[in-house]
Amino acid sequence: MMIQVHNRLSLFHQFSWRFGFYFSSFCHIFATVNFNPIRMQRRFTFFIFTLFISLASFSQIAMSFEEAQSQGIQISMLDSLYLSGIHSDSSKAVFADQQQEYIKAYYAMLHDLNAYLNQNDFRWGGQTRCFNRIYFDESGEIDYFLFNFQEGELAAEKQDEFAVLLNEFIGEFKFSLSKNVKFAQCSPVNFRDIL
C-alpha cells in the first residue's frame, strides 16, 4: 500500500508554533488594561490548562497508518529523524554490533504485546497479518507505533480495540536495548491467540 505524505510542519515546528501562540496569549492576559485579579486568575488557569493539553499531545502514540496520515504525521519525516535499528547495510544500523540481541529483543516485544492483548480478552480468532512501523526514543520507549492491517483482515471495531490496548501497552513498555539515538523498526507481523 502506498502512503501519500502531505507537506506539513514538522513536530518541532508544530510545537514551536503552539508554544509561540500560547506565550503570546499569556502576554496578552497580563497586558490587559482593566486589571481584574479574578479575571486574570481565570485566564491564567485557562492558559496553563491549554498549554498542558498541547504538550500532552506529544506523548506516545499508537495508531493506524491512515490515522497518522490524517493527523499530519509524516512517515517520511519520522524516517528521517529515527535511524534504522538494523539494516542490510550495517553502517546504517544503530545496533550493527548487537544484531542478534536486537532481533531477539524485538521478537520478545512482539510476543509481550500479543500476550498483553490476550490477557486483556483481545482475541484474533486466527492468524492475522499486520505491518508495523515502530519509532523508539533514545531510552527505548516507544514514541510512535504505526500499524496497518490489510483490508478485510480485521473488523474496524476490532482495530479500534487493538489501538486502545496497544496505547496502554506502549505507555508501560521499554525496549530492552537502547543507544543514545532515536531508532526505528518496521516489519510484517503474524498475530495469533496464544492463551
Side-chain angles (χ1 to χ4, degrees), residues 89-105:
D89 178 357
S90 61
S91 68
K92 296 179 181 178
V94 172
F95 295 96
D97 58 337
Q98 298 174 290
Q99 278 194 334
Q100 293 305 318
E101 296 93 336
Y102 179 82
I103 292 168
K104 186 177 178 182

Side-chain angles (χ1 to χ4, degrees), residues 42-162:
R42 287 182 188 153
R43 288 181 179 176
F44 182 72
T45 302
F46 176 74
F47 168 75
I48 295 299
F49 176 75
T50 54
L51 182 61
F52 174 76
I53 295 300
S54 176
L55 293 175
S57 68
F58 290 96
S59 61
Q60 299 164 321
I61 300 172
M63 66 180 70
S64 69
F65 284 10
E66 292 79 19
E67 188 177 354
Q69 182 181 0
S70 72
Q71 291 189 17
I73 297 173
Q74 299 177 4
I75 304 269
S76 61
M77 184 201 54
L78 292 175
D79 287 344
S80 71
L81 297 172
Y82 296 79
L83 302 175
S84 294
I86 57 173
H87 196 280
S88 57
D89 178 357
S90 61
S91 68
K92 296 179 181 178
V94 172
F95 295 96
D97 58 337
Q98 298 174 290
Q99 278 194 334
Q100 293 305 318
E101 296 93 336
Y102 179 82
I103 292 168
K104 186 177 178 182
Y106 181 71
Y107 284 132
M109 177 197 68
L110 294 174
H111 181 270
D112 291 348
L113 168 60
N114 203 29
Y116 179 82
L117 293 168
N118 283 184
Q119 289 166 358
N120 285 279
D121 298 323
F122 185 92
R123 299 290 180 257
W124 296 102
Q127 184 170 304
T128 306
R129 187 173 170 82
C130 176
F131 186 81
N132 61 51
R133 298 178 84 89
I134 308 169
Y135 300 90
F136 300 89
D137 71 10
E138 299 86 350
S139 69
E141 292 183 356
I142 297 174
D143 286 338
Y144 297 92
F145 192 121
L146 307 180
F147 58 87
N148 184 53
F149 293 98
Q150 292 288 336
E151 190 172 328
E153 186 79 29
L154 200 61
E157 314 81 55
K158 204 70 169 162
Q159 284 190 43
D160 292 343
E161 184 183 354
F162 172 77

